[in-house]
Amino acid sequence: MQPLVDRYGRVATDLRVSLTDRCNLRCSYCMPAEGLDWLPGDDQLTDDEVVRLIAIAIERLGVREVRFTGGEPLVRRGLVDVVRRTRAVGPGVELSITTNGIGLARTAASLAEAGLDRVNVSLDTVRPDTFLEITRRDRFDDVVEGLAAAEAAGLGPVKVNAVLLRGVNDDQAPELLRWCLERGYQLRFIEQMPLDAQHGWSREGMVTADEIFGRLDGAFTLAPASEPRGSAPAELFLVDGGPATVGVIASVTRPFCGDCDRVRLTADGQVRNCLFARQESDLRTAMRRGATDEDLAERWLVAMAGKAAGHGIDDPTFLQPDRPMSAIGG
């Protein structure tokens, strides 16, 4: 086994696998109302190809966590089987999914039975009208039902990811946290990142971590959690003395690139060594031309070695990736 080490000594043990670029919401900070041009079916990895590459990552490259992402991974028809086969490959590997929660009510039990450990659900508001404004879809109740189903299926701790948008929901942080605390969900606020398909992101328009703390300050008392952060993206804070916590993922204003342990595989079989990388390494073509597992592992190692020191958002020469978040996978 050879670990996925980059030139700065960071070791990638957390694999994010995008299963599709398609999504059944149209969140304003992610894509335009009309959607995007989706990947052609033949360009996407098959279930067998996905499982083969995951097996290489686990057995040859030391990956210990696999998270399935999208787009929206629940729209991938073979998701439950992919989870089951991944669990068979890595009995001790942590398996999770990042989802918008639509469809989770009917799939949570099957995913748990297949070996999924937990879920992260994206939910930016607990007001149905604001949910419709952000997502352009009237599906708030479906997400709430999905969260409850995940909790009932034992897919915990259930984590909720929220992005605050200036002038839309940035005044709702306290009520969102209170709503999650009442249900036992672990809330994580995430700074909006420059990964929208429209390339409309601006640092001035983004709600920063400091602003998030300011919104929560009048309603809650926050204190840094004592548990070590390690390579986790979220900085945790005890809420009113604990034990409940809230997290803030400040990827832009408080980057944690020096401790990054993640690597990404897109739905069309490209390795991305950073969320903001502008280069990718093609495993799909090599695999379909007959590359051995050893060959594919070596290509993956080379791809990881070229990882940059940081995402460089503050650099004047920074360029947003050509692919939006929905095509990269969180």
Side-chain angles (χ1 to χ4, degrees):
M1 183 179 292
Q2 291 182 272
L4 285 166
V5 183
D6 66 32
R7 55 186 162 171
Y8 300 97
R10 295 168 297 192
V11 180
T13 58
D14 182 343
L15 172 62
R16 309 294 173 95
V17 180
S18 175
L19 295 176
T20 178
D21 62 332
R22 296 173 183 267
C23 188
N24 42 19
L25 295 180
R26 296 291 182 270
C27 296
S28 59
Y29 56 84
C30 185
M31 65 177 73
E34 64 272 17
L36 299 168
D37 292 329
W38 310 124
L39 286 170
D42 290 345
D43 286 359
Q44 295 186 67
L45 297 177
T46 66
D47 291 356
D48 287 345
E49 290 171 335
V50 169
V51 174
R52 181 184 175 190
L53 291 176
I54 292 174
I56 291 170
I58 293 172
E59 296 172 348
R60 294 174 177 266
L61 301 173
V63 162
R64 304 309 304 156
E65 298 177 43
V66 177
R67 180 178 299 186
F68 298 103
T69 69
E72 172 44 53
L74 291 182
V75 306
R76 173 86 180 215
R77 212 169 278 173
L79 172 62
V80 172
D81 190 51
V82 168
V83 171
R84 182 176 291 110
R85 293 169 65 184
T86 300
R87 173 56 70 210
V89 169
V93 173
E94 180 180 293
L95 302 183
S96 61
I97 186 173
T98 295
T99 171
N100 62 29
I102 296 174
L104 193 55
R106 66 175 182 272
T107 56
S110 297
L111 287 167
E113 185 276 331
L116 194 72
D117 292 307
R118 62 178 184 82
V119 298
N120 284 39
V121 177
S122 299
L123 180 63
D124 304 319
T125 177
V126 291
R127 300 182 189 177
D129 57 337
T130 307
F131 183 91
L132 176 60
E133 180 182 358
I134 293 173
T135 68
R136 304 184 178 104
R137 297 291 186 271
D138 188 13
R139 305 297 297 272
F140 175 74
D141 290 342
D142 295 319
V143 179
V144 173
E145 291 173 10
L147 282 162
E151 182 75 22
L155 294 173
V158 174
K159 297 183 180 181
V160 173
N161 298 336
V163 175
L164 296 184
L165 305 174
R166 195 174 303 284
V168 179
N169 66 336
D170 56 330
D171 61 336
Q172 299 176 28
E175 68 186 81
L176 181 54
L177 177 53
R178 192 171 292 110
W179 188 88
C180 289
L181 292 173
E182 289 170 353
R183 291 157 179 79
Y185 305 147
Q186 297 185 2
L187 178 61
R188 305 287 184 264
F189 289 104
I190 304 175
E191 287 183 338
Q192 183 188 359
M193 293 178 281
L195 292 167
D196 59 307
Q198 307 93 306
H199 287 216
W201 178 92
S202 71
R203 193 182 182 100
E204 297 72 29
M206 177 192 73
V207 178
T208 67
D210 286 344
E211 291 178 277
I212 294 168
F213 293 129
R215 301 289 195 277
L216 296 174
D217 187 49
F220 302 96
T221 300
L222 303 184
S226 57
E227 60 188 270
R229 179 177 179 179
S231 59
E235 188 177 0
L236 295 182
F237 297 86
L238 296 174
V239 180
D240 294 336
T245 62
V246 63
V248 176
I249 301 176
S251 302
V252 178
T253 63
R254 304 182 185 185
F256 39 87
C257 301
D259 295 313
C260 182
D261 66 348
R262 286 167 292 286
V263 62
R264 289 171 169 81
L265 181 67
T266 66
D268 56 348
Q270 311 298 307
V271 171
R272 295 181 63 89
N273 58 29
C274 173
L275 184 59
F276 295 95
R278 292 187 59 79
Q279 291 82 37
E280 300 176 334
S281 298
D282 185 4
L283 297 186
R284 182 196 65 200
T285 300
M287 180 166 51
R288 291 181 178 177
R289 289 177 177 173
T292 66
D293 287 359
E294 184 177 358
D295 293 335
L296 294 170
E298 181 59 33
R299 286 172 177 267
W300 210 322
L301 287 164
V302 171
M304 202 64 205
K307 184 172 182 174
H311 55 49
I313 293 176
D314 284 332
D315 191 310
T317 64
F318 173 79
L319 293 174
Q320 183 172 330
D322 293 330
R323 292 206 203 213
M325 176 65 94
S326 61
I328 294 172

